[in-house]
Amino acid sequence: MAEQTKDKDVALDLYIALSRASQWVNAHADRDIRSYGLNRTEFGVLELLYHKGAQPIQQIGSKVLMSSGNITYVVDKLEKKQFVSRKASTEDRRLIFAEITDTGKQFIEEVFPAHADVISEAMAGLTAEEKHSASQLLKKLGRFAQDGFK
């Protein structure tokens, strides 16, 4: 029984540490993103479209971890900034794709290297080996939590 309690305490301690680390690394990233006039979701959608190409609007939410209803709003905002355009599918007229514009590509190409530096600096508290180990362990933890979610 004492071993079970100890394991729960360690799990809770890990949860708190993981949450706080995520909060502070995100604070660095968010401050940088805001300096470009975007929020984290807008930047995430733009980055996704830059790196993965045009995406069905209905599927973007699962790739940037947000609800599909909110994605329409985000795409609208990016469209107003001329970073993204909508294009109907040639095979299925019900399917609408979001794709990055030349203006959006130019924007990401200009700001992403500095943004990556901000994230790298926020993570500089760990050695390269520690970052690799942490990344592998967190992926393992994430897969287990995902598989157990019903």
Side-chain angles (χ1 to χ4, degrees), residues 12-68:
L12 290 171
D13 186 53
L14 173 59
Y15 175 75
I16 291 167
L18 177 62
S19 295
R20 286 187 179 150
S22 176
Q23 178 184 13
W24 283 111
V25 172
N26 281 330
H28 286 264
D30 289 346
R31 180 175 57 193
D32 183 59
I33 291 168
R34 280 192 310 273
S35 75
Y36 303 121
L38 299 175
N39 64 39
R40 186 187 316 170
T41 305
E42 292 168 325
F43 193 84
V45 169
L46 200 54
E47 183 185 1
L48 170 72
L49 298 176
Y50 178 80
H51 288 104
K52 302 291 185 181
Q55 301 287 314
I57 291 176
Q58 300 86 334
Q59 295 175 12
I60 292 174
S62 64
K63 294 178 181 177
V64 294
L65 305 176
M66 66 178 312
S67 70
S68 59

Side-chain angles (χ1 to χ4, degrees), residues 87-102:
K87 183 182 263 186
S89 168
T90 55
E91 291 113 31
D92 183 349
R93 291 186 341 191
R94 297 170 295 177
L95 200 57
I96 306 294
F97 284 81
E99 65 181 356
I100 194 166
T101 63
D102 288 341

